[in-house]
Amino acid sequence: QVQLVESGGGLVQAGGSLRLSCAASGGRFSDYAMGWFRQAPGKEREFVAAINWNGGDTGYADSVKGRFTISRDNAKKAVYLQMNSLKPEDTAVYYCAARPRGGIRTEAADFGSWGQGTQVTVSS
């Protein structure tokens, strides 16, 4: 099973940008579709973006479409989330997740491996 470690979170002003990274180890990375989810205080974990095994297919939550971009580098065993035009409502802990056999999913229950999360705080 793949192990995941997120990085790149931090504090940013509204309108700013951050790039999250997720490094994978163990398992064959190209066997996995990847996703980003987030959880704000007092709220349920929600889908942000997903990418299939080779990067040829991506999906986004409506709330981030046009502002966030998910990408992956199978050679580096990494997935990224470029976040632009950040808003205070984007404040949350962001989690990287993996699911085997490559297709995009948007439900957290479909992902079997999770990172520990990285905090993103957007100030107004």
Side-chain angles (χ1 to χ4, degrees):
Q1 195 167 358
V2 65
Q3 291 82 49
L4 305 171
V5 178
E6 303 95 335
S7 61
L11 173 64
V12 64
Q13 288 188 331
S17 298
L18 281 176
R19 188 192 194 210
L20 304 184
S21 298
C22 173
S25 61
R28 183 173 168 178
F29 186 64
S30 59
D31 284 347
Y32 293 86
M34 301 298 295
W36 286 97
F37 290 76
R38 66 187 182 187
Q39 188 166 17
K43 295 188 176 182
E44 293 189 353
R45 191 168 297 190
E46 64 174 3
F47 169 75
V48 175
I51 189 166
N52 76 330
W53 71 276
N54 67 353
D57 193 17
T58 58
Y60 297 91
D62 288 343
S63 59
V64 306
K65 205 171 290 184
R67 300 188 298 123
F68 291 10
T69 302
I70 189 171
S71 62
R72 67 188 294 160
D73 186 333
N74 285 351
K76 294 183 178 179
K77 294 188 175 182
V79 63
Y80 309 99
L81 186 68
Q82 178 66 44
M83 305 186 295
N84 299 329
S85 302
L86 282 161
K87 304 175 182 180
E89 51 264 44
D90 294 318
T91 295
V93 177
Y94 282 71
Y95 296 90
C96 174
R99 68 176 300 273
R101 291 176 288 283
I104 286 180
R105 295 290 186 274
T106 62
E107 296 292 329
D110 290 324
F111 290 78
S113 300
W114 292 84
Q116 83 290 346
T118 186
Q119 176 71 47
V120 172
T121 303
V122 184
S123 63
S124 56

